[in-house]
Amino acid sequence: MDRINAMRAFVTVVSEGAFTRAADRLETSPQLVSKYVSQLEHHLGVRLLNRTTRKIHLTEAGTSYHQRAQQVLNDIDEMESQIGDLQTRAQGLLRISAPVSFAIRHMAPLLSEFQKAHPGVGIDLQLNDRKVDVVEEGFDVVLRIGHLKSSSLIAKRIAPVRMVMCASPAYLKQNGTPQHLEDLQGHRYLRYSYIELDSSQSLHRWLQNNGQNNSSGMTSNNGDVLVESAVAGAGIALQPTFISGPAIKEGKLQVILQEYELEPMGLYAVYAHRQLLASKVRSFIDFIDGYFGDPPYWD
């Protein structure tokens, strides 16, 4: 018995709901499909399917075997796809979603070098700070920043993202330099709209309890605007160093409350878990992995 073909016949019968439709999908005869399933049941010594003239029903053993057989077949297909991709040049249109400020500041050299290495791949880069739906919106890869929660998607960590509290020297001279979290009371806070607060970290707890309702500050969904506002003396900002780093190095911004610095977040490449991952996606994931360094060049 060809166990792989027998497993594939069984799994296809279950997914199609009928021997005839399974035969059409496998481009073979219903008789051969039925023979494969019968041989598999004989080999295992259990009945996998209860058959009637109209429907098929999985037995308890069939349900358990189907889940494992599907995974085995997926693994085989993925292995063969990866071997085949070694001989296949990456090509096609690669749709990428990335955060606005990060992409503007750091993506152009990356994409230029990637296309030089893979000239058959076109790039469609869409900038958005909201959480886009990888599958529903048709993206191949989404770059996200944060502490990602578990999901059905695949997320590969690309680089650490350091967050710092900062303000201009002129603002701190006029309003005082906070030494403790309670010293932030009364200061103008430049708030990022999409920030996800983690109550397990003391700085986030303070912002959750005090910074969200600060009517004298500023709120924006763009980090560059907040950093430039901080440089202009508008208040204190909590921003990643991939945006604030140059201003800090030039002395236009001063880092404060370093002892309360948050745990670094991550820059992740997120993509759907597909049975056959396209060469263009795999090539991009491999290319971006390690590209920015650890620590990244902006730090």
Side-chain angles (χ1 to χ4, degrees):
M1 179 186 66
D2 186 333
R3 291 173 66 183
I4 300 300
N5 280 338
M7 290 169 64
R8 198 176 296 280
F10 167 68
V11 167
T12 307
V13 168
V14 174
S15 63
E16 295 295 326
F19 282 80
T20 52
R21 289 198 294 271
D24 290 340
R25 181 174 166 186
L26 295 171
E27 298 181 343
T28 188
S29 68
Q31 292 80 12
L32 184 56
V33 172
S34 179
K35 178 182 176 182
Y36 272 137
V37 174
S38 296
Q39 287 180 335
L40 189 59
E41 289 177 323
H42 179 74
H43 171 75
L44 296 170
V46 295
R47 180 174 290 278
L48 301 174
L49 296 170
N50 287 322
R51 308 158 177 82
T52 67
T53 55
R54 291 179 177 272
K55 295 182 179 180
I56 61 167
H57 300 277
L58 282 168
T59 64
E60 183 179 358
T63 299
S64 176
Y65 186 80
H66 174 260
Q67 294 172 344
R68 299 193 178 192
Q70 181 70 74
Q71 184 59 55
V72 168
L73 294 173
N74 286 346
D75 290 344
I76 291 172
D77 289 344
E78 184 174 357
M79 176 185 66
E80 292 179 349
S81 173
Q82 289 176 356
I83 296 299
D85 277 349
L86 292 176
Q87 307 300 324
T88 303
R89 187 180 69 169
Q91 54 188 338
L93 182 65
L94 183 67
R95 297 198 70 232
I96 305 170
S97 173
V100 178
S101 294
F102 181 83
I104 290 173
R105 289 172 174 265
H106 303 288
M107 288 290 289
L110 164 73
L111 296 178
S112 177
E113 292 178 31
F114 174 73
Q115 286 194 294
K116 287 178 183 177
H118 302 280
V121 179
I123 301 293
D124 178 6
L125 175 64
Q126 300 294 317
L127 308 188
N128 207 317
D129 285 339
R130 69 175 174 83
K131 285 188 177 180
V132 303
D133 190 304
V134 180
V135 177
E136 288 295 324
E137 299 184 48
F139 287 105
D140 296 299
V141 181
V142 170
L143 298 184
R144 285 182 181 162
I145 294 171
H147 299 286
L148 297 194
K149 300 175 183 178
S150 60
S151 73
S152 60
L153 301 174
I154 304 301
K156 185 172 183 62
R157 189 175 183 273
I158 302 301
V161 174
R162 181 185 169 208
M163 301 287 292
V164 295
M165 270 283 205
C166 54
S168 71
Y171 174 88
L172 295 174
K173 183 178 181 180
Q174 181 178 352
N175 298 278
T177 300
Q179 302 297 324
H180 305 284
L181 291 180
E182 53 268 26
D183 297 338
L184 289 170
Q185 198 69 43
H187 280 273
R188 292 194 300 274
Y189 174 51
L190 310 179
R191 177 178 173 269
Y192 180 58
S193 305
Y194 295 134
I195 189 170
E196 294 184 358
L197 298 176
D198 176 5
S199 59
S200 67
Q201 302 195 62
S202 58
L203 177 55
H204 272 182
R205 277 200 307 275
W206 187 92
L207 294 175
Q208 204 166 31
N209 296 328
N210 303 277
Q212 301 294 86
N213 301 314
N214 188 346
S215 59
S216 66
M218 177 191 298
T219 299
S220 176
N221 64 352
N222 181 263
D224 272 292
V225 170
L226 297 175
V227 167
E228 290 304 316
S229 297
V231 169
I236 297 174
L238 174 62
Q239 283 294 305
T241 52
F242 67 74
I243 301 177
S244 59
I248 293 170
K249 290 177 182 177
E250 294 169 13
K252 296 179 180 178
L253 289 178
Q254 180 179 326
V255 177
I256 62 172
L257 299 173
Q258 288 182 273
E259 62 269 33
Y260 298 98
E261 187 170 315
L262 301 169
E263 294 178 12
M265 297 188 295
L267 170 68
Y268 292 88
V270 179
Y271 53 100
H273 181 55
R274 295 171 182 161
Q275 183 176 339
L276 301 176
L277 188 62
S279 295
K280 62 183 180 181
V281 178
R282 184 176 295 112
S283 297
F284 181 75
I285 298 300
D286 291 342
F287 191 87
I288 196 174
D289 185 20
Y291 179 87
F292 300 111
D294 189 356
Y297 62 77
W298 53 78
D299 282 339

